[in-house]
Amino acid sequence: KQKTAYEISACLVGSEMCIRDRYMGYCISAGYLDGSVRFCTLDKGGRVDIVVMHFSTVTALAVDEKEKRLLSGSEFGDVILWKISEDCWLVKKYHFFDHEKQVTSACFSSHCRLFMTASLDGSCNIYFKKTCQLLRKIYHPERLHINQCFISKSPFLSVIFYSENDHSLYNYTINGFFVAKRKTTCDSINQMSTINDHKFQEYLVYGDSQGKLHIKTLPFFEEHKQFQVFTDSPVLYQALSSDKKCICLLYTSDAADDLLCVDLGGRRIIKKK
């Protein structure tokens, strides 16, 4: 049931250049071409906090809703950990320069108090959330580009990443030991997440460029279920319900052919009347 509705200016949604945006309550985070991170509070009159700290285009975003943290990465390779204040302002906590190329993905693990970033330099960097110290750096075995990353806690704590160069999923333990590799049949996948069954078994969930939704077992990526959700559109994003039993999908339609209706990422532009 819709509680209320908001009008958002086209400059916020239409100019959005992040890989993905996440909602935290009534707030929206977005990254931009000029290296700025913008935090819009929809429940306070649409106020936008604009902070320019990156040296180039923001290419990755992640939000920790529980501890009110925001993680952003850029084309330059730098990563910033932000604290979201009680007044919904962005406060820079740490600035990292541990990647040599563009940051492609970022994620938090609230249960393990860790966060991770991935890059085109072929590395995944894992940090302690509390101290922001680098715990471990895990590389692609052939130092190919890493395009997506995720931290899984079941059946053991592990690092999952995907490379579009060899179209493969990889699983490593948090200590850096190789566990599994699985080649995919698609050109790219969207951000990864996990879903639980009634026995609390954790499954990996992601959508791909062929319009399919995949649910795979962990840690060996065996196909549990596969759904052909769309035939003419890739699955761009999936959001899970709080109990991790329902999945909401985002995709592009034929509106993507109209450049006046969508931004460069294929997302529909909301224009203020």
Side-chain angles (χ1 to χ4, degrees):
K1 183 179 179 180
Q2 180 173 318
K3 181 179 179 180
T4 185
Y6 300 92
E7 290 186 346
I8 307 173
S9 61
C11 65
L12 175 64
V13 180
S15 302
E16 190 177 53
M17 286 302 299
C18 62
I19 287 181
R20 61 190 178 96
D21 58 323
R22 293 290 304 273
Y23 290 82
M24 191 189 71
Y26 295 104
C27 302
I28 299 176
S29 57
Y32 283 72
L33 279 168
D34 60 2
S36 66
V37 176
R38 310 190 183 193
F39 196 70
C40 178
T41 55
L42 300 183
D43 58 343
K44 295 184 179 182
R47 176 179 60 80
V48 180
D49 185 15
I50 304 174
V51 185
V52 182
M53 288 289 182
H54 286 287
F55 300 102
S56 58
T57 303
V58 177
T59 54
L61 282 176
V63 170
D64 184 348
E65 301 178 15
K66 184 177 180 180
E67 298 192 16
K68 294 186 178 181
R69 294 291 188 270
L70 176 68
L71 198 61
S72 60
S74 78
E75 187 179 18
F76 180 79
D78 61 318
V79 176
I80 298 178
L81 178 66
W82 307 85
K83 176 183 178 182
I84 304 173
S85 68
E86 294 181 358
D87 297 330
C88 292
W89 295 102
L90 291 178
V91 180
K92 187 177 79 168
K93 298 295 292 182
Y94 292 93
H95 204 154
F96 307 93
F97 298 90
D98 298 324
H99 286 298
E100 299 175 359
K101 294 182 180 180
Q102 175 182 319
V103 178
T104 55
S105 181
C107 65
F108 285 96
S109 176
S110 299
H111 297 282
C112 309
R113 301 187 64 80
L114 301 171
F115 63 87
M116 180 169 64
T117 58
S119 169
L120 294 183
D121 63 11
S123 69
C124 288
N125 293 339
I126 309 166
Y127 300 87
F128 291 108
K129 190 188 300 183
K130 184 176 181 180
T131 62
C132 293
Q133 291 180 332
L134 180 64
L135 169 63
R136 185 158 284 102
K137 183 184 285 282
I138 296 178
Y139 290 97
H140 186 286
E142 299 178 20
R143 295 297 293 268
L144 300 179
H145 295 171
I146 296 179
N147 302 93
Q148 298 290 344
C149 67
F150 188 76
I151 300 176
S152 172
K153 61 178 174 50
S154 176
F156 49 81
L157 190 59
S158 62
V159 172
I160 300 172
F161 62 83
Y162 173 82
S163 173
E164 292 182 2
N165 291 144
D166 60 1
H167 310 297
S168 297
L169 286 163
Y170 291 85
N171 195 338
Y172 282 77
T173 68
I174 200 69
N175 294 322
F177 294 102
F178 173 78
V179 176
K181 173 186 175 181
R182 179 76 64 171
K183 197 171 186 63
T184 64
T185 58
C186 58
D187 295 330
S188 63
I189 69 173
N190 69 355
Q191 99 292 342
M192 297 177 283
S193 55
T194 55
I195 191 170
N196 299 326
D197 63 11
H198 65 284
K199 296 180 180 179
F200 300 101
Q201 174 68 40
E202 192 172 60
Y203 296 91
L204 182 69
V205 179
Y206 65 86
D208 65 18
S209 57
Q210 299 175 353
K212 296 179 181 178
L213 180 70
H214 297 267
I215 302 178
K216 293 181 177 289
T217 62
L218 293 173
F220 299 112
F221 306 124
E222 296 174 343
E223 197 78 58
H224 177 65
K225 290 184 180 180
Q226 181 184 127
F227 303 94
Q228 184 68 53
V229 185
F230 314 111
T231 57
D232 58 352
S233 171
V235 178
L236 298 180
Y237 179 80
Q238 75 270 348
L240 301 181
S241 60
S242 58
D243 58 3
K244 291 191 174 184
K245 293 182 179 180
C246 299
I247 305 173
C248 177
L249 302 175
L250 173 67
Y251 66 99
T252 57
S253 63
D254 55 0
D257 296 330
D258 185 355
L259 297 181
L260 298 178
C261 296
V262 296
D263 65 359
L264 296 179
R267 290 167 288 248
R268 188 179 298 274
I269 296 175
I270 303 174
K271 295 184 178 181
K272 186 175 181 180
K273 296 180 180 180

